[in-house]
Amino acid sequence: MDSTTSSSSSTPRWNVERPFLTGRFHQETKAMSRFAEAKGFSVESFSSGAGLDKAIGCFDAAVQELIVIDDLLSAMVGIEGRYISIKRIRGKEDHVTFQVDPSMDLALQELAKKIFPLCESFLMINQFVESRSQFKNGLVNHAFAAALRALLLDYQAMVAQLEHQFQLGRLSIQGLWFYCQPMMASMQALSTVIQKASANNFAGSAVLNLLQSQAKAMAGDSAVRSLLEKMTQCASNAYLGILERWVYEGVIDDPYGEFFIAENKSLQKESLTQDYDAKYWRQRYSLKDGIPSFLANIAGTILTTGKYLNVMRECGHTVQVPVSENSKLMSFGSNHHYLECIKAAYDFASSELLNLIKEKYDLIGKLRSIKHYLLLDQGDFLVHFMDIARDELTKKLDDISVEKLQSLLDLALRTTAAAADPCHEDLTCCVERSSLLKRLGTLKDPEVIRTVAEVNDLEEPLNITGLETFSLSYKVQWPLSIVISRKALRKYQLIFRFLFRCKHVDRQLCGAWQVHQGVRALNMRGTAISRSSLLCRSMLKFINSLLHYLTFEVLEPNWHIMHNRLQTAKSIDEVVQHHDFFLDKCLRECLLLLPELLKKVERLKSLCLQYAAATQWLISSSIDIPKLDELSDGSIGNSRSPSRAVKLTSRNAAVTDSILKFEREFNAELQSLGPILSSSSQAEPYLSHLAQWILGVGKDQ
């Protein structure tokens, strides 16, 4: 194979072009090769003894035995003899067989054939060692090949000792067979592993898994199993070196791509503030296929440990897990010491990162600040902002100046209690391009998508203004963006917009109530003001009940539960999990994930706004206020009074009809909301309090 196609370093070309230097000992002549190809033989003969004048059968048995022993000693190290030849099957370059001269004594032939598997195993192992020592095959194959090379040195030393005994005349063919037997099973087991590894081109963890499975399969032969376990240990040393750097330093030192953790360098930490799915935290480092079996149960912990160390390094916080001689990951076995080392590294990295985010970057303080502003925990700044930004917020989307809103927001923050918060400068404002219901569709959660699909029949306002699209945002820096991701901020904004809309409805109704209170001293007999006042009070009670439920029944208790859980969290992943659970629970309990209830509530709020907008006309149209000149000349009872009375009566009738229409629609929506809340509260217990308030509003009518 041309090694230039690999990204790794290549071995010298002569190692491929000159086969005599590869250890395969191709001893055929070119003439013999051409002759074999011309005849179309299925096997290629590499025998150098084909031209001998005498066949071995011409000698007596004693001489034959000496010749065969000499040839066998050569064959055991991959060298052909005079009467034992190496045959390589065409199309199967890695598969070789040994053949003897057919004229050889039958007893000698049988003994020789018993030793041939050992010779074939040696050739196969030797070829594997040379081929897998090239750079492109990876560190595990390099280590495995080095262990095999050491084994072959012992094997060759044994052959040299046998040859010495043979030269001293102390070795018979039966003795040779006796000395070969202990190595036979081990060499054949290794050749089986090598065949599978070569056929599938295994590298990295696949080689380790193959060695381990083969060792388990040889449980009946303790010697072979011990050898395979030793090979596994040697081959895994390089892999454990990669693992050690990852769990102790957070560095992937994997030049050949063998480690089971992949790094996506295209994802940068800055993307967390823009990427909705927070891919950096989930996909910057990820698990690959081919995890070593002895690490399969702890792979997630290994991944997380390195991720934590990387976060600290990205923060400029130099940290390294304390390493002692007892914590080295250079071996694994039945005592599971390596698992204890990994667990200790995880505990250290987890606690260090958690302390860094909590102490240095003040995670709890940031979350509390977000609660103040986006969950309206401290709403004085919002009241001031809504007062000074009213004109800008009532404009259409294309006419709104975000810069002006931002300056007004800064003014509101500096002139209220929010000025004491050091994090208030991280608060920004934005104007969305769609209503709250449409914005819900940007959440990719299946439950939210289903909710939006069920409320899509709710009409989008034609002239949408800043009051429907205004939102706050928050600047979150690394590494807090791991917890307060873009997705989390989007959920905060959805809750804020829902609360902001409720606050706006409440303010409008309060204005309408003040108008009613302003005319209490006037003569209201014959007008619909008293009826309108009762309707206004019912609407106010509804919106106040809703706001009370959202703030005191949902947001506040859930935030305290999350806060307590964060105090006892053991890792940053637990922090993210608790924070996401808090937001999802708040979304649901704030009715944003309950389509039927959400549709009813939005309809009720719309009716309240329509009524509040019409209040000034309703009040002024239902009160008979004489002109000043009429009061001065005492002409109230003149001839024009009957016509004015008729006009006033008709106008009062129109006003009364309008008020009754608002009342009927409001009561109908409210009464239809009651049964839905009652039935939903069985499946969603948190709605029981809201149901009591809403049903109470209905009874006041």
Side-chain angles (χ1 to χ4, degrees):
M1 183 188 302
D2 187 1
S3 59
T4 59
T5 60
S6 174
S7 60
S8 57
S9 303
S10 59
T11 55
R13 292 191 61 83
W14 52 259
N15 201 34
V16 178
E17 295 172 349
R18 298 181 63 183
F20 280 90
L21 296 179
T22 65
R24 292 171 64 172
F25 300 99
H26 294 184
Q27 297 175 356
E28 81 282 7
T29 62
K30 293 182 180 180
M32 291 287 297
S33 298
R34 287 197 297 269
F35 175 78
E37 291 178 6
K39 293 296 184 180
F41 292 157
S42 61
V43 296
E44 296 176 352
S45 174
F46 301 102
S47 175
S48 63
L52 292 176
D53 294 331
K54 284 189 177 183
I56 193 171
C58 298
F59 303 101
D60 58 30
V63 176
Q64 285 188 41
E65 181 179 359
L66 295 175
I67 296 173
V68 169
I69 293 174
D70 185 52
D71 281 3
L72 282 173
L73 289 172
S74 298
M76 287 173 66
V77 290
I79 302 173
E80 290 183 320
R82 289 171 293 173
Y83 299 100
I84 296 178
S85 58
I86 300 175
K87 304 282 186 178
R88 195 173 299 276
I89 298 178
R90 180 177 296 174
K92 296 183 179 180
E93 289 297 317
D94 293 332
H95 187 72
V96 297
T97 61
F98 285 79
Q99 292 185 351
V100 296
D101 190 316
S103 65
M104 185 183 297
D105 181 79
L106 293 179
L108 293 175
Q109 282 192 43
E110 291 302 317
L111 282 171
K113 288 177 180 178
K114 288 182 179 181
I115 300 175
F116 284 166
L118 182 61
C119 305
E120 294 168 3
S121 296
F122 170 82
L123 276 178
M124 187 175 297
I125 295 171
N126 195 44
Q127 169 61 19
F128 182 85
V129 167
E130 293 179 350
S131 63
R132 290 304 185 273
S133 296
Q134 297 180 11
F135 294 117
K136 62 185 178 183
N137 293 297
L139 296 177
V140 174
N141 273 321
H142 294 170
F144 184 32
L148 290 173
R149 187 180 292 111
L151 178 71
L152 291 183
L153 287 175
D154 292 340
Y155 170 83
Q156 289 168 332
M158 182 199 74
V159 174
Q161 290 173 355
L162 291 174
E163 184 179 19
H164 179 65
Q165 293 297 317
F166 173 64
Q167 291 174 349
L168 295 177
R170 299 175 184 172
L171 186 66
S172 64
I173 193 166
Q174 289 85 1
L176 179 60
W177 165 239
F178 173 79
Y179 288 119
C180 288
Q181 286 185 69
M183 289 285 288
M184 189 75 70
S186 299
M187 296 289 280
Q188 285 185 314
L190 286 174
S191 66
T192 301
V193 172
I194 285 167
Q195 279 182 317
K196 293 179 180 179
S198 300
N200 297 283
N201 198 26
F202 282 160
S205 59
V207 175
L208 300 179
N209 289 337
L210 176 61
L211 282 167
Q212 273 202 311
S213 62
Q214 201 66 25
K216 291 178 181 178
M218 300 301 294
D221 191 330
S222 59
V224 174
R225 177 168 183 168
S226 176
L227 174 64
L228 290 175
E229 288 177 346
K230 182 181 179 181
M231 291 291 118
T232 308
Q233 186 66 62
C234 293
S236 66
N237 282 342
Y239 200 89
L240 290 175
I242 301 174
L243 175 63
E244 187 174 294
R245 287 209 67 188
W246 172 251
V247 297
Y248 288 162
E249 301 176 37
V251 175
I252 295 182
D253 185 9
D254 183 24
Y256 302 103
E258 299 171 280
F259 199 40
F260 62 88
I261 293 175
E263 179 182 8
N264 186 353
K265 294 184 178 180
S266 64
L267 295 176
Q268 301 297 322
K269 64 178 184 294
E270 290 77 15
S271 66
L272 275 172
T273 58
Q274 302 296 328
D275 177 27
Y276 175 82
D277 291 321
K279 291 180 180 177
Y280 177 87
W281 182 244
R282 295 185 296 105
Q283 299 179 14
R284 173 62 188 247
Y285 297 100
S286 58
L287 295 176
K288 297 192 297 187
D289 294 333
I291 300 173
S293 56
F294 64 94
L295 296 175
N297 294 332
I298 203 170
T301 303
I302 293 171
L303 171 65
T304 305
T305 302
K307 282 172 63 176
Y308 290 170
L309 294 172
N310 267 282
V311 170
M312 288 184 277
R313 192 169 63 247
E314 292 277 4
C315 296
H317 183 69
T318 304
V319 64
Q320 185 173 352
V321 178
V323 180
S324 63
E325 287 300 322
N326 197 36
S327 63
K328 289 287 186 180
L329 291 178
M330 300 312 292
S331 64
F332 69 93
S334 57
N335 61 357
H336 300 300
H337 174 67
Y338 67 101
L339 297 179
E340 297 173 4
C341 294
I342 293 172
K343 185 65 170 62
Y346 168 79
D347 292 339
F348 175 83
S350 177
S351 62
E352 281 289 312
L353 177 59
L354 200 58
N355 291 334
L356 181 71
I357 287 183
K358 281 185 176 181
E359 303 299 331
K360 182 177 179 180
Y361 293 95
D362 191 20
L363 172 65
I364 303 298
K366 289 289 184 182
L367 290 175
R368 187 177 287 109
S369 178
I370 292 176
K371 175 174 177 273
H372 289 339
Y373 303 125
L374 271 72
L375 301 185
L376 304 185
D377 180 45
Q378 292 181 349
D380 58 335
F381 87 95
L382 187 68
V383 174
H384 185 37
F385 172 75
M386 293 178 77
D387 286 336
I388 62 179
R390 178 177 54 196
D391 294 339
E392 195 69 25
L393 290 174
T394 53
K395 294 180 180 179
K396 294 182 180 180
L397 284 183
D398 296 333
D399 300 329
I400 296 175
S401 170
V402 180
E403 292 77 10
K404 185 175 181 180
L405 284 177
Q406 183 64 51
S407 64
L408 293 173
L409 177 64
D410 293 339
L411 177 62
L413 291 171
R414 289 195 300 268
T415 54
T416 58
D421 181 9
C423 300
H424 78 270
E425 294 182 355
D426 293 328
L427 193 66
T428 61
C429 68
C430 58
V431 177
E432 306 286 357
R433 304 303 301 177
S434 58
S435 66
L436 174 63
L437 293 176
K438 294 292 183 183
R439 196 60 173 168
L440 271 171
T442 61
L443 285 180
K444 298 178 183 179
D445 297 12
E447 189 173 12
V448 178
I449 294 173
R450 184 170 63 253
T451 300
V452 175
E454 294 184 27
V455 299
N456 60 6
D457 58 332
L458 202 63
E459 294 183 2
E460 181 89 349
L462 295 177
N463 296 322
I464 192 169
T465 66
L467 291 168
E468 289 83 25
T469 58
F470 175 77
S471 182
L472 294 179
S473 188
Y474 202 87
K475 298 176 184 177
V476 182
Q477 303 298 328
W478 173 267
L480 294 181
S481 51
I482 295 173
V483 180
I484 313 170
S485 63
R486 183 61 189 160
K487 184 175 183 178
L489 273 178
R490 183 68 53 80
K491 293 178 180 179
Y492 275 116
Q493 288 175 325
L494 289 171
I495 297 172
F496 169 81
R497 290 183 64 180
F498 190 61
L499 291 172
F500 183 79
R501 178 78 166 170
C502 291
K503 287 282 188 182
H504 170 61
V505 174
D506 179 61
R507 284 169 60 85
Q508 295 301 104
L509 289 175
C510 285
W513 179 253
Q514 290 174 356
V515 172
H516 282 90
Q517 295 301 101
V519 298
R520 289 183 62 182
L522 300 178
N523 180 17
M524 296 184 293
R525 287 179 298 175
T527 70
I529 291 181
S530 58
R531 190 100 188 204
S532 177
S533 178
L534 184 61
L535 176 60
C536 186
R537 190 177 71 175
S538 297
M539 288 184 171
L540 268 172
K541 187 173 182 182
F542 161 73
I543 197 67
N544 286 331
S545 299
L546 180 60
L547 278 169
H548 180 276
Y549 165 76
L550 294 174
T551 53
F552 294 102
E553 302 287 346
V554 176
L555 298 177
E556 196 66 29
N558 282 327
W559 197 89
H560 281 289
I561 291 173
M562 179 195 69
H563 180 268
N564 293 335
R565 288 176 175 173
L566 294 187
Q567 298 295 337
T568 59
K570 301 298 183 183
S571 69
I572 192 66
D573 282 302
E574 285 187 26
V575 170
V576 173
Q577 181 182 352
H578 294 324
H579 184 241
D580 289 345
F581 179 79
F582 159 74
L583 287 174
D584 291 338
K585 196 166 187 288
C586 287
L587 277 176
R588 184 167 187 82
E589 295 185 6
C590 285
L591 315 181
L592 294 174
L593 301 183
L594 300 174
E596 193 175 9
L597 281 173
L598 182 61
K599 185 162 60 174
K600 290 290 183 184
V601 169
E602 288 300 309
R603 175 61 182 159
L604 282 166
K605 289 195 293 184
S606 179
L607 282 172
C608 291
L609 287 174
Q610 292 174 24
Y611 167 77
T615 298
Q616 188 66 45
W617 173 81
L618 293 174
I619 297 296
S620 61
S621 298
S622 60
I623 299 178
D624 182 17
I625 303 178
K627 295 181 181 179
L628 291 177
D629 56 349
E630 293 176 348
L631 291 172
S632 61
D633 60 12
S635 58
I636 297 178
N638 61 16
S639 59
R640 291 186 299 171
S641 294
S643 63
R644 289 183 68 253
V646 171
K647 185 177 180 181
L648 183 61
T649 301
S650 63
R651 191 167 58 186
N652 283 341
V655 170
T656 302
D657 290 341
S658 297
I659 292 174
L660 289 175
K661 181 182 178 182
F662 276 120
E663 186 177 323
R664 283 194 303 270
E665 291 185 9
F666 179 75
N667 286 337
E669 291 291 339
L670 199 62
Q671 293 303 321
S672 65
L673 184 62
I676 297 174
L677 279 172
S678 298
S679 59
S680 299
S681 62
Q682 298 176 3
E684 311 287 351
Y686 51 83
L687 294 176
S688 58
H689 297 289
L690 181 61
Q692 293 172 4
W693 283 100
I694 296 299
L695 295 176
V697 173
K699 290 176 182 178
D700 288 346
Q701 291 294 323

